[in-house]
Amino acid sequence: VPFEQFQIIDPDTKKPLKVQKLRDGRYAFFAKQLPSMGYKTYTVKEAKKEAYGSSELSPANSLENEFYQITLDRTKNIISDIVDKQLGKNIIDTSSPYALGEYIYYDHFRKEWKKTNFTDIKYNKGDLIDEIHINQDAYLTGKVELIVYVHHKTKKIDFALEVDKLS
């Protein structure tokens, strides 16, 4: 973005959109009525004051929106439940020996699969998107982080797994 303070203008209404700065420094906004084939152009204008919100670190053990109820297990540093409210069902397989987004790797010396250690979980609450950052410690990695983006206005959860492999 070329400006320190800016607004993103909706091309249809000519009004500024709600924008959120994510923890990693990127910006997010909710784009409505995008054509299935083609594109839509949004204008970025300089603003006199900061026109976007940031996510705030939250100590909560759960988050909920119109679509999902998500439970964090802070003792294990994992997401223990994601209940889809429309289905009335937990979409995490709680009988699995692996946690949601767990990084597993094969140890060639011991000839076995290994699990990671979950080291940290942070929940950032935002105006448009909530972010859950889960850090894991794994052999021969510099960083293993699962980022879960829970959208407010649409029934959508995005998962991003970032792994810095050392060898």
Side-chain angles (χ1 to χ4, degrees):
V1 181
F3 311 112
E4 196 67 35
Q5 279 87 12
F6 65 91
Q7 294 177 326
I8 297 177
I9 307 300
D10 185 304
D12 298 328
T13 65
K14 308 293 186 227
K15 293 182 180 176
L17 294 171
K18 201 179 242 189
V19 177
Q20 178 183 330
K21 185 174 185 179
L22 301 176
R23 196 171 130 195
D24 65 5
R26 293 180 302 145
Y27 296 93
F29 67 94
F30 189 70
K32 292 181 182 177
Q33 299 175 346
L34 295 175
S36 58
M37 300 290 281
Y39 63 92
K40 192 171 189 179
T41 303
Y42 291 82
T43 305
V44 178
K45 292 176 82 174
E46 190 169 15
K48 292 185 173 136
K49 62 179 182 168
E50 195 172 272
Y52 55 83
S54 296
S55 58
E56 298 288 328
L57 193 61
S58 172
N61 292 324
S62 65
L63 57 136
E64 189 169 348
N65 65 18
E66 180 182 340
F67 311 104
Y68 300 103
Q69 181 177 2
I70 299 174
T71 306
L72 310 178
D73 183 335
R74 291 191 182 271
T75 58
K76 294 180 183 175
N77 294 313
I78 64 169
I79 296 174
S80 57
D81 299 296
I82 299 178
V83 175
D84 182 312
K85 290 181 173 182
Q86 280 182 321
L87 299 175
K89 183 177 178 181
N90 187 356
I91 58 176
I92 291 181
D93 181 1
T94 56
S95 66
S96 172
Y98 304 106
L100 174 72
E102 184 168 6
Y103 177 75
I104 58 173
Y105 60 95
Y106 189 73
D107 184 334
H108 292 281
F109 298 111
R110 295 191 175 143
K111 301 199 182 309
E112 65 184 3
W113 288 98
K114 297 273 192 151
K115 296 171 73 170
T116 59
N117 296 317
F118 288 90
T119 59
D120 188 35
I121 188 167
K122 287 190 169 78
Y123 163 41
N124 293 77
K125 183 153 187 58
D127 291 335
L128 300 173
I129 298 173
D130 293 335
E131 303 174 65
I132 303 167
H133 294 256
I134 302 172
N135 292 299
Q136 303 172 50
D137 184 28
Y139 181 67
L140 291 177
T141 61
K143 174 184 180 180
V144 178
E145 182 178 23
L146 174 67
I147 306 168
V148 181
Y149 299 100
V150 182
H151 298 256
H152 291 201
K153 293 187 176 191
T154 186
K155 187 177 180 180
K156 181 177 179 182
I157 300 175
D158 290 319
F159 297 89
L161 181 64
E162 185 176 327
V163 179
D164 291 338
K165 192 88 168 102
L166 298 177
S167 69

